[in-house]
Amino acid sequence: MSQTGSSYVPDLVRGGVIADGGYGKGMPIMRAWGLKLAERMVALFADRMAMGRPILVNRPGMLVEGDRYRAEVDTFGGFDFLYELNWAGHDVVARPDGAVANLAMAVRSRAGGGPATVLSCFQGFREIRGWTPPLFRDRLIWPFVQFNDLVPAAEAGAETAALLDRMIGFFDTLALPVRIIDMGPWKNYARRLYNVVGHLGDGSPTTLA
């Protein structure tokens, strides 16, 4: 929720969702009502996506050691527009994503006979750019929610279709009409990338997930 030039920011301030001002551009301060609202939305998302199945909750840390992050993302080239910094003499990356941590948890759980569906909720950092911008251009993103489901390869197509249907159902519950756009392969990270796209009041598209 960029604090500059956004007509909806005063409404969020008046509604008690965010504080007036913030830590900086794209770094809002959530107020008590905003925190409760976000937590309710996360719970609703988890309920819609899990569909009664057991689900693991992952809360990865805010900072990742630089060498560890680069090793984790080496196979697909990593994420764009990161925040890398020196923290108390250590090279670290402000966490941009939760997929690797989620999948590692899912693999360990399945090996022990447990569930392989993981939902993470954490504080993420990313500067998103591009032709189809997200509705909120936050740099400090909370809640950053990620859902990963580990399934046999033969079931991947059917499970993906089912998850996309659940995603649409989630946004329907929020009264937000959306469309799923197949973006094709993305780097070495995904064989197919699907964007959940809505539109702003002026008709321009906005990426919601």
Side-chain angles (χ1 to χ4, degrees):
M1 289 168 284
S2 173
Q3 302 289 84
T4 303
S6 300
S7 60
Y8 49 79
V9 169
D11 293 333
L12 295 175
V13 172
R14 284 191 294 270
V17 177
I18 63 174
D20 191 11
Y23 296 116
K25 185 177 180 181
M27 295 188 176
I29 299 173
M30 302 284 283
R31 298 188 64 186
W33 168 242
L35 291 172
K36 291 178 181 178
L37 182 63
E39 289 167 355
R40 179 69 187 103
M41 290 176 67
V42 172
L44 177 64
F45 178 80
D47 179 69
R48 292 292 186 272
M49 299 302 287
M51 294 294 288
R53 297 174 300 173
I55 186 171
L56 300 172
V57 176
N58 185 26
R59 298 190 182 277
M62 183 176 68
L63 300 178
V64 186
E65 292 182 5
D67 289 343
R68 177 183 173 186
Y69 166 78
R70 284 181 280 273
E72 288 179 343
V73 303
D74 180 64
T75 57
F76 65 89
F79 301 98
D80 299 323
F81 312 123
L82 307 176
Y83 290 95
E84 300 183 63
L85 58 151
N86 184 291
W87 186 269
H90 298 280
D91 171 33
V92 298
V93 174
R95 181 173 295 281
D97 194 85
V100 174
N102 278 9
L103 291 172
M105 176 179 280
V107 169
R108 290 193 301 269
S109 177
R110 188 172 70 172
T117 303
V118 182
L119 177 80
S120 62
C121 181
F122 57 96
Q123 184 169 276
F125 295 83
R126 191 95 67 85
E127 185 170 349
I128 305 296
R129 306 173 188 174
W131 291 105
T132 308
L135 179 58
F136 302 124
R137 283 180 173 271
D138 284 359
R139 292 176 170 86
L140 185 159
I141 307 166
W142 186 91
F144 196 131
V145 179
Q146 187 136 19
F147 181 89
N148 293 94
D149 196 11
L150 192 63
V151 299
E155 301 174 14
E159 182 64 15
T160 298
L163 289 176
L164 292 176
D165 283 343
R166 294 172 203 161
M167 184 73 77
I168 292 173
F170 167 71
F171 284 106
D172 281 347
T173 303
L174 300 179
L176 293 174
V178 297
R179 293 289 184 271
I180 305 294
I181 308 297
D182 184 348
M183 307 296 290
W186 186 69
K187 296 185 177 181
N188 295 323
Y189 180 74
R191 294 178 182 177
R192 308 211 72 79
L193 171 66
Y194 296 93
N195 279 347
V196 182
V197 178
H199 66 84
L200 302 176
D202 61 3
S204 59
T206 176
T207 302
L208 296 174

